[in-house]
Amino acid sequence: MRVVIACCGLEHVVRGYESAGRELFDALSGHLDVVLCKGSGKRGKNEVVVPCLRRDFLERFISPAKAFYWEQMTFALGLLPYLLLHKVDIVHYSEARFGNALVRLVRWTGLKTRLLYSNGGPHSPARFHPGVFILQVCGPYLQAALDFGIPAERMRLLPYGIAPEQFRLPEGRAAAREQFHLPPDKLVILSMAALSRTHKRIDYLIREVAALNDDSIVLCMAGQETAETPEMRALAEELLPGRHRFLTVPRARVPALLAAADLVVLASLREGFGMVLIEACSAGVPVICHDWENFRWVLGDAAVYADMETPGALAASLRMVARDSEKLRALGVLGRARVDQHYSWRVLVPRYLEMYRSILDAPGA
C-alpha cells in the first residue's frame, strides 16, 4: 500500500495543516510506503517537490485568497504526473479545493487512487465532494456530518497526532528563556498563533493581559506575520510597553519556546483542531482556551476554559491561575497524560494504518 500525503504549502507556509502533514509523514515512515508531496523545499527521502505557483509569489499580483486558490489548482496539476507514473493507493490531504480539483483529474485519467480529505478546516458537510472519503479530526465534526446526511461509511474519526517526546527537553526554563531573550524572573504567557487580529484575536489577548495591570507578567506572541501584525505591534506597545515580545520562529525551535513559558493561551474562538493545544500539553505547559465544545473534546479536563467572546473573561481566568503554582502544575500533569493517552503516535499509528486498509477495502467512493 502506497499513501501520498499531499500539502501544497509545506516548507513555505507555517500553519497547522503543514505541521500536521509533516508530523503524519514522519510518524508513518517505516510503517508503510508513504510519500510526502509538498510545494517547495528540499527533496528528502520519500519526499517529492511538486511544481506549482506558490501563494507567496502570487500574492504580489492578486489577493491572498486567490493566490491560495491558484496554488491549490496548480499543485493538483503538478501532482498528476506523479500519480500517473507511480501506483498510489491513497492521497491524503487537507486543502479542500486541491482535493476537488484532484477528484476531477483522477476521474478523467481513470486512476484508481482513493482520496482521503482531513477535515481540519473545518468545512461544512455541504462542501464534501461525493468522490472522497473524509477523515474527521474531532467528534463534533463527525456528528455534524452525520446529522447532515453524510453516510457513516464514507467517514472515519481520528485526531491529529504528535510525537510528545520532541517537546520534552532536558534543558531548564532559564536556559530556554535565555535563547529568546525573555526575562528569567517574570511569568511568561505564550501565544503561538499567526500575529493577526482576525481569527487569532491577538488584540483581545493583548487587552486582557494589559487589564491585569501586573508588571511581573510578560506576553510573548510567536507566529507568522500578517498584514495585521503592525497594528498588533502598535497595540502592544501602547498597552504593554516593555512587557511584550513578538517572535517568528522555525518549527524546530517550538519545543524550546514552550520550555520558556509558564502558560499558553489560545485566543481564537474556533480552530479546525488546535494543534498548538496538544503541543503545549506535550511539553507540560498549562493551557487556557475558549470554552467551545471542540476544544473540550480535544482537551477534556486538561485545560482552563474561558468565554473569550466576553471582554474580561480571559483576564479573570489569568488572575485565577497565573499565581497558583499548584494549579499550574496539576494542569501540566493532566495535559501530558491527555496527549500520551489520546494523541501520541504510539497510540495513533496502528489506528491510521487500519483506517487506510479499511478505505482500500471499502466499496468505490
Side-chain angles (χ1 to χ4, degrees):
M1 174 171 53
R2 176 176 290 158
V3 175
V4 160
I5 299 168
C7 185
C8 59
L10 191 57
E11 305 291 3
H12 59 273
V13 178
V14 181
R15 299 181 308 163
Y17 285 168
E18 287 73 28
S19 298
R22 170 61 70 180
E23 285 272 356
L24 181 59
F25 171 72
D26 290 344
L28 293 177
S29 295
H31 295 277
L32 82 165
D33 185 358
V34 59
V35 178
L36 182 66
C37 290
K38 56 189 183 179
S40 63
K42 297 180 180 180
R43 289 176 171 84
K45 183 181 180 182
N46 293 329
E47 296 185 17
V48 175
V49 178
V50 175
C52 65
L53 292 173
R54 286 170 43 171
R55 75 192 79 168
D56 51 353
F57 167 76
L58 292 173
E59 284 174 6
R60 303 176 190 176
F61 314 104
I62 56 180
S63 70
K66 288 182 179 178
F68 184 31
Y69 172 82
W70 283 111
E71 181 182 78
Q72 293 177 77
M73 295 301 102
T74 57
F75 187 74
L77 287 169
L79 181 62
L80 185 60
Y82 182 88
L83 300 181
L84 291 169
L85 292 171
H86 303 82
K87 183 181 184 301
V88 174
D89 296 295
I90 297 171
V91 176
H92 188 170
Y93 63 93
S94 294
E95 282 90 359
R97 285 171 172 159
F98 158 76
N100 290 342
L102 199 60
V103 167
R104 295 179 177 89
L105 294 172
V106 166
R107 182 187 302 133
W108 291 340
T109 55
L111 288 168
K112 302 301 182 184
T113 304
R114 301 240 161 149
L115 304 181
L116 174 63
Y117 168 54
S118 283
N119 185 33
H123 286 106
S124 163
R127 297 178 62 185
F128 294 164
H129 196 287
V132 305
F133 292 88
I134 298 102
L135 172 59
Q136 302 287 12
V137 298
C138 278
Y141 298 161
L142 175 64
Q143 189 57 54
L146 291 171
D147 293 343
F148 183 83
I150 303 297
E153 59 268 21
R154 282 185 56 207
M155 297 189 288
R156 307 294 187 273
L157 175 63
L158 272 179
Y160 290 125
I162 201 167
E165 58 276 3
Q166 68 181 298
F167 296 96
R168 296 169 185 175
L169 301 181
E171 64 188 84
R173 179 167 293 169
R177 289 189 178 185
E178 187 175 356
Q179 288 187 44
F180 300 101
H181 307 289
L182 294 168
D185 56 345
K186 307 285 187 180
L187 186 138
V188 175
I189 297 172
L190 174 64
S191 165
M192 295 196 303
L195 302 174
S196 67
R197 171 176 45 81
T198 307
H199 183 208
K200 300 302 182 180
R201 305 178 73 241
I202 299 299
D203 59 327
Y204 174 83
L205 175 59
I206 292 170
R207 295 181 192 280
E208 294 294 294
V209 173
L212 298 174
N213 196 27
D214 188 338
D215 290 340
S216 68
I217 293 177
V218 170
L219 175 60
C220 179
M221 293 157 282
Q224 189 165 21
E225 295 202 4
T226 72
E228 297 173 336
T229 302
E231 178 187 347
M232 301 300 96
R233 289 184 182 275
L235 183 65
E237 189 58 40
E238 175 190 351
L239 300 181
L240 293 170
R243 296 194 291 118
H244 69 275
R245 184 87 195 279
F246 286 91
L247 296 171
T248 299
V249 301
R251 178 161 178 76
R253 296 190 71 195
V254 167
L257 185 59
L258 283 166
D262 293 290
L263 190 63
V264 166
V265 175
L266 180 64
S268 49
L269 302 178
R270 301 287 187 273
E271 292 286 345
F273 182 80
M275 280 295 291
V276 63
L277 300 176
I278 60 173
E279 288 173 354
C281 287
S282 293
V285 182
V287 168
I288 300 180
C289 58
H290 180 54
D291 192 358
W292 181 44
E293 63 173 346
N294 289 44
F295 292 155
R296 285 188 176 272
W297 187 90
V298 172
L299 291 184
D301 60 356
V304 172
Y305 302 95
D307 179 9
M308 294 194 198
E309 291 184 290
T310 303
L314 174 57
S317 293
L318 289 170
R319 287 191 189 96
M320 178 180 68
V321 303
R323 296 302 179 188
D324 188 340
S325 58
E326 184 58 31
K327 176 73 170 177
L328 293 177
R329 188 199 66 79
L331 283 169
V333 171
L334 286 171
R336 282 192 176 203
R338 181 81 177 180
V339 170
D340 289 344
Q341 293 167 11
H342 297 281
Y343 305 115
S344 168
W345 286 121
R346 176 182 55 80
V347 174
L348 288 178
V349 163
R351 297 177 62 190
Y352 268 79
L353 296 176
E354 176 55 34
M355 173 186 67
Y356 293 140
R357 284 192 289 268
S358 72
I359 288 172
L360 283 185
D361 293 341

mmCIF file of all heavy atoms in Angstrom, residues 4 76-77 79-91 101-115 131 364-365:
data_model
loop_
_atom_site.group_PDB
_atom_site.id
_atom_site.type_symbol
_atom_site.label_atom_id
_atom_site.label_comp_id
_atom_site.label_asym_id
_atom_site.label_seq_id
_atom_site.Cartn_x
_atom_site.Cartn_y
_atom_site.Cartn_z
ATOM 1 N N VAL A 4 0.197 8.717 -0.364
ATOM 2 C CA VAL A 4 0.796 10.034 -0.577
ATOM 3 C C VAL A 4 0.139 11.018 0.378
ATOM 4 O O VAL A 4 -1.093 11.120 0.430
ATOM 5 C CB VAL A 4 0.611 10.511 -2.031
ATOM 6 C CG1 VAL A 4 0.789 12.029 -2.136
ATOM 7 C CG2 VAL A 4 1.602 9.814 -2.941
ATOM 8 N N ALA A 76 -2.421 20.588 -7.790
ATOM 9 C CA ALA A 76 -3.139 19.398 -8.256
ATOM 10 C C ALA A 76 -2.645 18.976 -9.639
ATOM 11 O O ALA A 76 -2.393 17.787 -9.889
ATOM 12 C CB ALA A 76 -4.639 19.675 -8.280
ATOM 13 N N LEU A 77 -2.483 19.945 -10.538
ATOM 14 C CA LEU A 77 -1.975 19.628 -11.878
ATOM 15 C C LEU A 77 -0.539 19.110 -11.807
ATOM 16 O O LEU A 77 -0.168 18.172 -12.516
ATOM 17 C CB LEU A 77 -2.036 20.874 -12.767
ATOM 18 C CG LEU A 77 -3.435 21.300 -13.240
ATOM 19 C CD1 LEU A 77 -3.370 22.685 -13.876
ATOM 20 C CD2 LEU A 77 -3.996 20.272 -14.220
ATOM 21 N N LEU A 79 0.843 17.498 -9.385
ATOM 22 C CA LEU A 79 0.898 16.173 -8.764
ATOM 23 C C LEU A 79 0.476 15.066 -9.722
ATOM 24 O O LEU A 79 0.904 13.910 -9.570
ATOM 25 C CB LEU A 79 -0.005 16.149 -7.522
ATOM 26 C CG LEU A 79 -0.059 14.849 -6.717
ATOM 27 C CD1 LEU A 79 1.317 14.490 -6.155
ATOM 28 C CD2 LEU A 79 -1.084 14.956 -5.581
ATOM 29 N N LEU A 80 -0.334 15.403 -10.718
ATOM 30 C CA LEU A 80 -0.901 14.386 -11.601
ATOM 31 C C LEU A 80 0.165 13.514 -12.274
ATOM 32 O O LEU A 80 -0.004 12.282 -12.309
ATOM 33 C CB LEU A 80 -1.798 15.049 -12.648
ATOM 34 C CG LEU A 80 -2.546 14.088 -13.571
ATOM 35 C CD1 LEU A 80 -3.465 13.169 -12.775
ATOM 36 C CD2 LEU A 80 -3.340 14.863 -14.617
ATOM 37 N N PRO A 81 1.249 14.076 -12.826
ATOM 38 C CA PRO A 81 2.249 13.183 -13.442
ATOM 39 C C PRO A 81 2.800 12.135 -12.483
ATOM 40 O O PRO A 81 3.038 10.984 -12.883
ATOM 41 C CB PRO A 81 3.341 14.160 -13.899
ATOM 42 C CG PRO A 81 2.626 15.455 -14.115
ATOM 43 C CD PRO A 81 1.573 15.491 -13.039
ATOM 44 N N TYR A 82 3.001 12.516 -11.226
ATOM 45 C CA TYR A 82 3.483 11.531 -10.249
ATOM 46 C C TYR A 82 2.466 10.404 -10.078
ATOM 47 O O TYR A 82 2.832 9.220 -10.026
ATOM 48 C CB TYR A 82 3.765 12.195 -8.902
ATOM 49 C CG TYR A 82 4.315 11.240 -7.871
ATOM 50 C CD1 TYR A 82 5.687 11.009 -7.772
ATOM 51 C CD2 TYR A 82 3.470 10.533 -7.011
ATOM 52 C CE1 TYR A 82 6.198 10.101 -6.855
ATOM 53 C CE2 TYR A 82 3.981 9.626 -6.087
ATOM 54 C CZ TYR A 82 5.344 9.411 -6.012
ATOM 55 O OH TYR A 82 5.844 8.510 -5.105
ATOM 56 N N LEU A 83 1.190 10.750 -10.004
ATOM 57 C CA LEU A 83 0.151 9.735 -9.832
ATOM 58 C C LEU A 83 0.046 8.835 -11.049
ATOM 59 O O LEU A 83 -0.267 7.638 -10.932
ATOM 60 C CB LEU A 83 -1.197 10.404 -9.559
ATOM 61 C CG LEU A 83 -1.290 11.294 -8.311
ATOM 62 C CD1 LEU A 83 -2.694 11.864 -8.167
ATOM 63 C CD2 LEU A 83 -0.894 10.515 -7.056
ATOM 64 N N LEU A 84 0.309 9.388 -12.229
ATOM 65 C CA LEU A 84 0.245 8.584 -13.447
ATOM 66 C C LEU A 84 1.438 7.638 -13.565
ATOM 67 O O LEU A 84 1.318 6.544 -14.128
ATOM 68 C CB LEU A 84 0.185 9.498 -14.674
ATOM 69 C CG LEU A 84 -1.122 10.295 -14.859
ATOM 70 C CD1 LEU A 84 -0.952 11.342 -15.935
ATOM 71 C CD2 LEU A 84 -2.285 9.361 -15.186
ATOM 72 N N LEU A 85 2.583 8.053 -13.044
ATOM 73 C CA LEU A 85 3.809 7.270 -13.192
ATOM 74 C C LEU A 85 4.037 6.274 -12.058
ATOM 75 O O LEU A 85 4.830 5.347 -12.191
ATOM 76 C CB LEU A 85 5.016 8.205 -13.285
ATOM 77 C CG LEU A 85 5.098 9.059 -14.551
ATOM 78 C CD1 LEU A 85 6.207 10.085 -14.425
ATOM 79 C CD2 LEU A 85 5.314 8.179 -15.785
ATOM 80 N N HIS A 86 3.358 6.469 -10.942
ATOM 81 C CA HIS A 86 3.541 5.596 -9.787
ATOM 82 C C HIS A 86 2.178 5.102 -9.299
ATOM 83 O O HIS A 86 1.215 5.869 -9.266
ATOM 84 C CB HIS A 86 4.240 6.339 -8.642
ATOM 85 C CG HIS A 86 5.564 6.919 -9.011
ATOM 86 N ND1 HIS A 86 5.693 8.132 -9.659
ATOM 87 C CD2 HIS A 86 6.822 6.451 -8.829
ATOM 88 C CE1 HIS A 86 6.975 8.392 -9.849
ATOM 89 N NE2 HIS A 86 7.678 7.387 -9.361
ATOM 90 N N LYS A 87 2.120 3.855 -8.910
ATOM 91 C CA LYS A 87 0.868 3.340 -8.350
ATOM 92 C C LYS A 87 0.680 3.916 -6.950
ATOM 93 O O LYS A 87 1.462 3.620 -6.044
ATOM 94 C CB LYS A 87 0.876 1.817 -8.301
ATOM 95 C CG LYS A 87 -0.447 1.238 -7.794
ATOM 96 C CD LYS A 87 -0.390 -0.275 -7.731
ATOM 97 C CE LYS A 87 -1.740 -0.855 -7.320
ATOM 98 N NZ LYS A 87 -2.184 -0.357 -6.002
ATOM 99 N N VAL A 88 -0.337 4.718 -6.785
ATOM 100 C CA VAL A 88 -0.649 5.322 -5.492
ATOM 101 C C VAL A 88 -2.030 4.860 -5.070
ATOM 102 O O VAL A 88 -3.004 5.020 -5.819
ATOM 103 C CB VAL A 88 -0.596 6.863 -5.565
ATOM 104 C CG1 VAL A 88 -1.067 7.480 -4.249
ATOM 105 C CG2 VAL A 88 0.823 7.326 -5.897
ATOM 106 N N ASP A 89 -2.129 4.285 -3.891
ATOM 107 C CA ASP A 89 -3.416 3.774 -3.428
ATOM 108 C C ASP A 89 -4.290 4.869 -2.831
ATOM 109 O O ASP A 89 -5.499 4.909 -3.063
ATOM 110 C CB ASP A 89 -3.183 2.671 -2.385
ATOM 111 C CG ASP A 89 -2.472 1.471 -2.979
ATOM 112 O OD1 ASP A 89 -3.064 0.809 -3.847
ATOM 113 O OD2 ASP A 89 -1.324 1.210 -2.589
ATOM 114 N N ILE A 90 -3.691 5.757 -2.030
ATOM 115 C CA ILE A 90 -4.458 6.794 -1.335
ATOM 116 C C ILE A 90 -3.675 8.098 -1.372
ATOM 117 O O ILE A 90 -2.466 8.112 -1.121
ATOM 118 C CB ILE A 90 -4.732 6.399 0.137
ATOM 119 C CG1 ILE A 90 -5.593 5.137 0.218
ATOM 120 C CG2 ILE A 90 -5.394 7.550 0.897
ATOM 121 C CD1 ILE A 90 -5.715 4.578 1.630
ATOM 122 N N VAL A 91 -4.361 9.184 -1.680
ATOM 123 C CA VAL A 91 -3.815 10.529 -1.474
ATOM 124 C C VAL A 91 -4.549 11.134 -0.280
ATOM 125 O O VAL A 91 -5.770 11.260 -0.287
ATOM 126 C CB VAL A 91 -3.981 11.430 -2.707
ATOM 127 C CG1 VAL A 91 -3.481 12.849 -2.403
ATOM 128 C CG2 VAL A 91 -3.225 10.861 -3.897
ATOM 129 N N ALA A 101 -10.205 19.572 -7.144
ATOM 130 C CA ALA A 101 -9.554 19.517 -8.451
ATOM 131 C C ALA A 101 -9.011 18.125 -8.716
ATOM 132 O O ALA A 101 -9.117 17.591 -9.829
ATOM 133 C CB ALA A 101 -8.443 20.553 -8.525
ATOM 134 N N LEU A 102 -8.431 17.506 -7.688
ATOM 135 C CA LEU A 102 -7.840 16.181 -7.859
ATOM 136 C C LEU A 102 -8.911 15.132 -8.159
ATOM 137 O O LEU A 102 -8.663 14.190 -8.931
ATOM 138 C CB LEU A 102 -7.055 15.807 -6.604
ATOM 139 C CG LEU A 102 -6.018 14.690 -6.769
ATOM 140 C CD1 LEU A 102 -4.969 15.079 -7.805
ATOM 141 C CD2 LEU A 102 -5.347 14.394 -5.427
ATOM 142 N N VAL A 103 -10.095 15.285 -7.581
ATOM 143 C CA VAL A 103 -11.192 14.361 -7.886
ATOM 144 C C VAL A 103 -11.442 14.324 -9.389
ATOM 145 O O VAL A 103 -11.564 13.251 -9.999
ATOM 146 C CB VAL A 103 -12.475 14.768 -7.138
ATOM 147 C CG1 VAL A 103 -13.673 14.007 -7.686
ATOM 148 C CG2 VAL A 103 -12.348 14.497 -5.649
ATOM 149 N N ARG A 104 -11.507 15.495 -9.995
ATOM 150 C CA ARG A 104 -11.779 15.573 -11.436
ATOM 151 C C ARG A 104 -10.627 14.975 -12.251
ATOM 152 O O ARG A 104 -10.855 14.235 -13.227
ATOM 153 C CB ARG A 104 -12.020 17.026 -11.836
ATOM 154 C CG ARG A 104 -13.270 17.626 -11.210
ATOM 155 C CD ARG A 104 -13.457 19.085 -11.620
ATOM 156 N NE ARG A 104 -14.683 19.636 -11.089
ATOM 157 C CZ ARG A 104 -14.787 20.224 -9.904
ATOM 158 N NH1 ARG A 104 -13.709 20.331 -9.132
ATOM 159 N NH2 ARG A 104 -15.936 20.700 -9.484
ATOM 160 N N LEU A 105 -9.408 15.272 -11.852
ATOM 161 C CA LEU A 105 -8.256 14.752 -12.581
ATOM 162 C C LEU A 105 -8.172 13.228 -12.485
ATOM 163 O O LEU A 105 -7.876 12.551 -13.480
ATOM 164 C CB LEU A 105 -6.976 15.391 -12.047
ATOM 165 C CG LEU A 105 -6.821 16.891 -12.283
ATOM 166 C CD1 LEU A 105 -5.605 17.425 -11.540
ATOM 167 C CD2 LEU A 105 -6.712 17.198 -13.772
ATOM 168 N N VAL A 106 -8.442 12.687 -11.301
ATOM 169 C CA VAL A 106 -8.426 11.235 -11.122
ATOM 170 C C VAL A 106 -9.511 10.585 -11.972
ATOM 171 O O VAL A 106 -9.294 9.552 -12.623
ATOM 172 C CB VAL A 106 -8.589 10.883 -9.626
ATOM 173 C CG1 VAL A 106 -8.920 9.407 -9.443
ATOM 174 C CG2 VAL A 106 -7.325 11.237 -8.857
ATOM 175 N N ARG A 107 -10.675 11.210 -11.987
ATOM 176 C CA ARG A 107 -11.783 10.648 -12.775
ATOM 177 C C ARG A 107 -11.461 10.693 -14.274
ATOM 178 O O ARG A 107 -11.665 9.714 -14.992
ATOM 179 C CB ARG A 107 -13.060 11.438 -12.487
ATOM 180 C CG ARG A 107 -14.289 10.877 -13.233
ATOM 181 C CD ARG A 107 -15.493 11.782 -13.066
ATOM 182 N NE ARG A 107 -15.833 11.969 -11.675
ATOM 183 C CZ ARG A 107 -16.092 13.145 -11.131
ATOM 184 N NH1 ARG A 107 -16.022 14.246 -11.864
ATOM 185 N NH2 ARG A 107 -16.420 13.234 -9.860
ATOM 186 N N TRP A 108 -10.945 11.809 -14.747
ATOM 187 C CA TRP A 108 -10.662 11.960 -16.177
ATOM 188 C C TRP A 108 -9.572 11.009 -16.647
ATOM 189 O O TRP A 108 -9.590 10.553 -17.793
ATOM 190 C CB TRP A 108 -10.253 13.399 -16.472
ATOM 191 C CG TRP A 108 -11.376 14.393 -16.331
ATOM 192 C CD1 TRP A 108 -12.719 14.139 -16.349
ATOM 193 C CD2 TRP A 108 -11.243 15.800 -16.142
ATOM 194 N NE1 TRP A 108 -13.444 15.294 -16.166
ATOM 195 C CE2 TRP A 108 -12.553 16.341 -16.037
ATOM 196 C CE3 TRP A 108 -10.156 16.667 -16.032
ATOM 197 C CZ2 TRP A 108 -12.796 17.692 -15.837
ATOM 198 C CZ3 TRP A 108 -10.395 18.024 -15.860
ATOM 199 C CH2 TRP A 108 -11.699 18.531 -15.763
ATOM 200 N N THR A 109 -8.615 10.722 -15.809
ATOM 201 C CA THR A 109 -7.500 9.858 -16.207
ATOM 202 C C THR A 109 -7.757 8.384 -15.916
ATOM 203 O O THR A 109 -6.969 7.533 -16.322
ATOM 204 C CB THR A 109 -6.208 10.285 -15.483
ATOM 205 O OG1 THR A 109 -6.440 10.301 -14.065
ATOM 206 C CG2 THR A 109 -5.772 11.675 -15.934
ATOM 207 N N GLY A 110 -8.840 8.092 -15.220
ATOM 208 C CA GLY A 110 -9.162 6.698 -14.926
ATOM 209 C C GLY A 110 -8.322 6.080 -13.827
ATOM 210 O O GLY A 110 -8.312 4.848 -13.674
ATOM 211 N N LEU A 111 -7.637 6.890 -13.052
ATOM 212 C CA LEU A 111 -6.828 6.371 -11.958
ATOM 213 C C LEU A 111 -7.717 5.728 -10.882
ATOM 214 O O LEU A 111 -8.848 6.173 -10.656
ATOM 215 C CB LEU A 111 -5.994 7.482 -11.335
ATOM 216 C CG LEU A 111 -4.820 8.002 -12.174
ATOM 217 C CD1 LEU A 111 -4.269 9.290 -11.561
ATOM 218 C CD2 LEU A 111 -3.723 6.956 -12.264
ATOM 219 N N LYS A 112 -7.179 4.716 -10.228
ATOM 220 C CA LYS A 112 -7.912 4.027 -9.165
ATOM 221 C C LYS A 112 -7.558 4.560 -7.779
ATOM 222 O O LYS A 112 -7.976 4.006 -6.763
ATOM 223 C CB LYS A 112 -7.616 2.527 -9.221
ATOM 224 C CG LYS A 112 -7.976 1.879 -10.550
ATOM 225 C CD LYS A 112 -9.461 2.056 -10.890
ATOM 226 C CE LYS A 112 -9.805 1.362 -12.196
ATOM 227 N NZ LYS A 112 -11.223 1.608 -12.579
ATOM 228 N N THR A 113 -6.799 5.640 -7.732
ATOM 229 C CA THR A 113 -6.363 6.218 -6.459
ATOM 230 C C THR A 113 -7.552 6.688 -5.637
ATOM 231 O O THR A 113 -8.465 7.350 -6.155
ATOM 232 C CB THR A 113 -5.426 7.409 -6.717
ATOM 233 O OG1 THR A 113 -4.339 6.968 -7.528
ATOM 234 C CG2 THR A 113 -4.897 7.992 -5.426
ATOM 235 N N ARG A 114 -7.543 6.357 -4.362
ATOM 236 C CA ARG A 114 -8.587 6.835 -3.450
ATOM 237 C C ARG A 114 -8.131 8.129 -2.775
ATOM 238 O O ARG A 114 -6.941 8.304 -2.498
ATOM 239 C CB ARG A 114 -8.884 5.770 -2.403
ATOM 240 C CG ARG A 114 -9.348 4.449 -3.023
ATOM 241 C CD ARG A 114 -10.715 4.074 -2.539
ATOM 242 N NE ARG A 114 -11.351 3.121 -3.405
ATOM 243 C CZ ARG A 114 -12.212 2.214 -2.967
ATOM 244 N NH1 ARG A 114 -12.476 2.116 -1.667
ATOM 245 N NH2 ARG A 114 -12.827 1.411 -3.807
ATOM 246 N N LEU A 115 -9.087 8.991 -2.505
ATOM 247 C CA LEU A 115 -8.787 10.296 -1.943
ATOM 248 C C LEU A 115 -9.371 10.401 -0.540
ATOM 249 O O LEU A 115 -10.544 10.072 -0.314
ATOM 250 C CB LEU A 115 -9.351 11.406 -2.832
ATOM 251 C CG LEU A 115 -8.889 11.379 -4.298
ATOM 252 C CD1 LEU A 115 -9.491 12.539 -5.073
ATOM 253 C CD2 LEU A 115 -7.373 11.389 -4.401
ATOM 254 N N GLY A 131 -16.939 12.154 -4.127
ATOM 255 C CA GLY A 131 -15.944 11.199 -4.582
ATOM 256 C C GLY A 131 -14.789 10.984 -3.628
ATOM 257 O O GLY A 131 -13.780 10.389 -4.020
ATOM 258 N N GLY A 364 -16.373 1.344 -3.854
ATOM 259 C CA GLY A 364 -15.976 2.586 -4.532
ATOM 260 C C GLY A 364 -16.633 3.798 -3.945
ATOM 261 O O GLY A 364 -17.823 3.772 -3.567
ATOM 262 N N ALA A 365 -15.849 4.895 -3.823
ATOM 263 C CA ALA A 365 -16.386 6.135 -3.241
ATOM 264 C C ALA A 365 -17.369 6.776 -4.183
ATOM 265 O O ALA A 365 -17.307 6.578 -5.394
ATOM 266 C CB ALA A 365 -15.229 7.086 -2.950
#
